[in-house]
Amino acid sequence: MTACLPRLGAIAVLAALASACTTQSLACRDADAAERSLFAAIVAHDQNRVASLMAAEGRETANRLRALDPEIQAQLFGTRMGDRSVRTVMMRPPLCLIDEPQGSNARVTYVFPAGRFDALQNPGMTGLQTGEPGYDHAACRFVMENGQWRLADACLTTFRPRPAVG
């Protein structure tokens, strides 16, 4: 029986290591200066500033934003304070950002109020748990343009279905 104890200990250690390898550890990052400027423009409901911060790839969306397109206005800013919108998420700092690469020149950044991020993550599930769009998170697509990450979609990725992982 005592000869089995070292083996059981080794098996327990290996099981713990295997478990740790399958559990994805997600760590928040803070917004950089450009992201803080963008998020401040969203909170201020400054559609012209948001449009001016967008990449060339998002020109059509930027033009619709400047023209006060009601669909974009509702998703980005909401019609009333507290509506499901990107702005509702941005108004609940501190913010937690999680980047999901989309190739070498694009990424989707998920933005959570920090407390919501912590509450949504379930150790029994793999991957990022995002919760309800426009309440628990916002999702903004960025592309690399002239060496800088620039907004490509006015954060409208928030309300698109998230692709299946794996």
Side-chain angles (χ1 to χ4, degrees):
M1 178 71 174
T2 56
C4 292
L5 289 178
R7 285 188 188 152
L8 290 175
I11 290 171
V13 168
L14 289 174
L17 288 174
S19 168
C21 290
T22 59
T23 303
Q24 185 179 14
S25 177
L26 300 169
C28 292
R29 71 169 178 83
D30 292 329
D32 64 25
E35 290 164 329
R36 283 192 302 276
S37 178
L38 170 67
F39 300 161
I42 292 170
V43 169
H45 196 146
D46 186 346
Q47 65 269 0
N48 289 321
R49 177 82 176 130
V50 173
S52 73
L53 294 171
M54 291 183 63
E57 179 181 308
R59 188 169 325 197
E60 181 183 332
T61 301
N63 290 338
R64 289 176 60 200
L65 186 57
R66 285 184 184 103
L68 304 177
D69 179 297
E71 178 184 10
I72 292 177
Q73 292 286 316
Q75 290 182 41
L76 187 57
F77 303 116
T79 53
R80 292 180 310 275
M81 192 69 81
D83 282 353
R84 281 184 56 212
S85 68
V86 172
R87 183 177 184 214
T88 293
V89 173
M90 304 292 177
M91 292 181 73
R92 294 168 32 213
L95 299 177
C96 161
L97 282 64
I98 303 288
D99 296 324
E100 188 174 272
Q102 307 283 306
S104 61
N105 292 321
R107 73 174 196 235
V108 172
T109 297
Y110 290 89
V111 183
F112 298 85
R116 287 305 302 149
F117 172 78
D118 294 336
L120 288 166
Q121 302 319 300
N122 180 344
M125 299 178 76
T126 59
L128 177 65
Q129 306 305 307
T130 57
E132 184 179 343
Y135 177 75
D136 292 318
H137 80 276
C140 306
R141 186 170 178 278
F142 288 87
V143 294
M144 182 62 71
E145 184 178 272
N146 299 324
Q148 297 180 354
W149 287 106
R150 307 252 333 205
L151 183 65
D153 72 343
C155 299
L156 301 181
T157 297
T158 303
F159 297 99
R160 294 187 188 121
R162 188 161 179 244
V165 178

